[in-house]
Amino acid sequence: MRLGVLDVGSNTVHLLVVDAHRGAHPIPTTSEKTILRLAEQLDTKGQLTKAGSDQLVRAVAGAKASAKRSGCEDLMAFATSAVREAGNSAEVLDRVRTETGVDLKVLSGEDEAKYTFLAVRRWYGWSAGKLLCLDIGGGSLELAVGRDENPDMAFSVPLGAGRLTRTRFKKDPPRRSEVRETTDWLAEQLAPVARKLKRAGEPDRVVATSKTFRTLARLTGAAPSSAGPRARRVLTDAGLRQLIAFISRMSASDLAELEGVSTSRAHQLVAGALVAEATMRALSLTQLEICPWALREGVILRRLDHTDGTDQSDTGRTGQHGARWS
């Protein structure tokens, strides 16, 4: 069975198509990204602009066509913080549905954390014990902890790399005072969530997902993507502190020249690094392991849990294109 996931995030519209069967690891066949930076196309009233909506419609239509060419039998489409928080979210979703036929489901921050946690659990298995999972997106930071496939606790806080870049930094590179003030502010913002997570007890394994964490790990010496998804990659607190001292003095254009840094995300790398460091400090973590699976894989795995790959008659919430959401 060939499944597709269309992820409308703060920075990109990402289509992932996989060959998947119940009980088996999904095998990617198509992965395409369109850079939109939707979170940067909100007006002063917090509404997505006409230009932003136009670009979103074109990107979704293009992704749908690509999924069809790839033989996708079931397309699940969802949007995260950028669309979720837009003041005209309902109107934008209606327009996408009318003009493309794709019914975008808006995930809550807690849903994001839960789907990502499921992906991490399936990647590492039950032997990993209690997992603590962290994910930095463009608009929010997700945290989840637990021993099962559903986390015992799941949180989403508005501390995404793109959001902080827009709201905390006025210069490129940011002023040292901006970096110091943001560091102190992050500590205050994370303290309540950190206290709740610490009450859950020590995790057996601490895992981070998302492009931000992967890039930070690469810049501190982790294996490149060419080494394959099974290569063990870690990010340490010491390495992260040294990296921040280096990259916080560089412009976005200079950061984009570094190996492993994408041009589309270079401008928010410093903010992402500060969020990562503040989170590790708040939770007293010295090391994170990087997981290649994240939100999109979690959505696919949950879908597979509700079908044997052929029978489409099972109960569940069904979207316009047969997507199941539980």
Side-chain angles (χ1 to χ4, degrees):
M1 182 178 185
R2 189 156 286 186
L3 300 177
V5 170
L6 181 58
D7 175 1
V8 177
S10 296
N11 292 302
T12 64
V13 171
H14 188 174
L15 170 68
L16 179 66
V17 178
V18 300
D19 281 330
H21 301 279
R22 187 179 178 87
H25 281 191
I27 302 172
T29 62
T30 301
S31 180
E32 298 180 359
K33 293 182 181 180
T34 302
I35 307 301
L36 290 188
R37 295 184 183 176
L38 288 180
E40 298 177 16
Q41 300 193 58
L42 299 177
D43 62 22
T44 56
K45 296 181 180 179
Q47 296 192 341
L48 188 63
T49 63
K50 174 66 162 53
S53 297
D54 290 344
Q55 292 179 39
L56 175 59
V57 168
R58 286 195 295 271
V60 171
K64 179 183 176 182
S66 182
K68 184 177 181 179
R69 288 193 299 272
S70 299
C72 181
E73 302 168 54
D74 194 349
L75 179 63
M76 297 167 286
F78 63 87
T80 54
S81 62
V83 174
R84 182 171 67 231
E85 297 173 7
N88 57 341
S89 176
E91 292 87 343
V92 171
L93 294 171
D94 284 343
R95 184 182 171 196
V96 170
R97 185 183 306 111
T98 299
E99 297 187 26
T100 71
V102 175
D103 193 359
L104 285 175
K105 174 183 172 64
V106 178
L107 297 185
S108 69
E110 185 176 338
D111 283 339
E112 288 188 55
K114 289 179 177 179
Y115 281 123
T116 301
F117 186 87
L118 171 64
V120 171
R121 169 59 72 192
R122 294 284 179 90
W123 181 265
Y124 288 105
W126 295 108
S127 62
K130 180 188 290 186
L131 289 171
L132 172 59
C133 180
L134 312 175
D135 186 295
I136 299 174
S140 58
L141 163 71
E142 275 70 52
L143 311 93
V145 65
R147 292 185 177 277
D148 208 331
E149 291 200 331
N150 290 316
D152 299 325
M153 294 184 183
F155 302 96
S156 179
V157 288
L159 301 177
R163 184 193 300 271
L164 263 66
T165 301
R166 296 192 309 275
T167 60
R168 304 291 306 185
F169 299 157
K170 298 185 183 302
K171 297 291 184 179
D172 177 26
R175 298 187 183 98
R176 291 189 182 183
S177 59
E178 290 178 327
V179 172
R180 289 195 302 270
E181 291 166 3
T182 298
T183 298
D184 293 340
W185 178 80
L186 283 168
E188 296 175 359
Q189 299 299 308
L190 285 165
V193 173
R195 284 194 293 269
K196 293 176 183 179
L197 286 171
K198 285 182 176 180
R199 285 200 290 270
E202 289 291 323
D204 297 306
R205 198 165 200 157
V206 183
V207 179
T209 71
S210 77
K211 179 66 173 179
T212 294
F213 274 118
R214 290 197 300 272
T215 300
L216 295 173
R218 179 70 187 101
L219 291 174
T220 56
S225 58
S226 59
R230 293 291 177 181
R232 186 171 185 269
R233 297 173 174 87
V234 299
L235 175 65
T236 66
D237 59 341
L240 184 54
R241 285 195 300 271
Q242 293 175 0
L243 179 64
I244 290 173
F246 176 61
I247 65 174
S248 62
R249 302 180 182 184
M250 299 176 64
S251 67
S253 59
D254 288 336
L255 289 172
E257 298 297 322
L258 298 178
E259 183 180 358
V261 179
S262 64
T263 302
S264 63
R265 294 176 184 268
H267 68 295
Q268 62 186 44
L269 182 61
V270 174
L274 293 179
V275 174
E277 183 193 32
T279 304
M280 293 182 72
R281 185 185 300 113
L283 296 172
S284 303
L285 304 174
T286 59
Q287 179 174 289
L288 306 170
E289 190 164 349
I290 307 300
C291 179
W293 278 6
L295 176 59
R296 285 177 290 274
E297 287 80 8
V299 169
I300 289 173
L301 290 165
R302 180 57 73 208
R303 169 68 176 86
L304 290 175
D305 288 344
H306 290 268
T307 179
D308 62 3
T310 57
D311 179 21
Q312 303 297 313
S313 63
D314 60 323
T315 59
R317 187 173 174 188
T318 306
Q320 185 168 336
H321 295 272
R324 308 297 165 90
W325 303 91
S326 60

